[in-house]
Amino acid sequence: MNRTVLGSIVAGLLIAGSGGVAAAEPAPAPAPVAPGQIPDAPGPGAAAPIAACMAPGDTIELRAGLGALLGTGSGAVAGLPIFFVGAIPLGIVGGVIGAMVGSTTYAQDAWRAPQGC
C-alpha cells in the first residue's frame, strides 16, 4: 500500500510539473505572409513534404500479433503477485487489449498513408 500511495504522489507531481513547464513556454510567432502568398505554401527553395508510405510486409495481423504478445507478457507479469491464478486471466486480458491496440495503430497508419504507395 505504501508503494501505491508513493507512486500516485510521484505521478501527480510529474504530471503537474510537466504541465507547468509546457504552459510557461511562449507560443511561436506565426511567420509573416507576403501579399498574394498562400499562408501554408512552401517558400522559394523549400521542399514539399514527402508522403510516408507503410513498410512492405506491415500487415494488420503482424501488428495485432505483436500487440497481443506484448500485452500477454505484461498482463502475466502484472498478475504474478496473485500467483499463477492471477497471471493467466491478466495475460489473456492483456493479450486482447494488446491485439486491439496493435490493429488500431495499423488502421490509423493505413488511413493516413497516401493511396499511391
Side-chain angles (χ1 to χ4, degrees), residues 5-52:
V5 172
L6 183 62
S8 63
I9 290 171
V10 169
L13 290 174
L14 288 173
I15 291 170
S18 64
V21 171
E25 294 180 10
V33 179
Q37 181 184 6
I38 301 172
D40 291 336
I50 299 173

Side-chain angles (χ1 to χ4, degrees), residues 1-115:
M1 184 171 152
N2 291 337
R3 285 187 269 175
T4 305
V5 172
L6 183 62
S8 63
I9 290 171
V10 169
L13 290 174
L14 288 173
I15 291 170
S18 64
V21 171
E25 294 180 10
V33 179
Q37 181 184 6
I38 301 172
D40 291 336
I50 299 173
C53 297
M54 295 182 66
D58 189 7
T59 62
I60 194 167
E61 292 85 4
L62 176 68
R63 287 203 192 184
L66 289 175
L69 181 68
L70 292 173
T72 301
S74 60
V77 168
L80 279 178
I82 315 171
F83 302 107
F84 290 107
V85 176
I88 293 171
L90 284 179
I92 294 170
V93 170
V96 170
I97 292 172
M100 289 189 301
V101 169
S103 61
T104 302
T105 59
Y106 178 84
Q108 289 175 345
D109 290 344
W111 179 71
R112 290 183 186 137
Q115 295 298 323

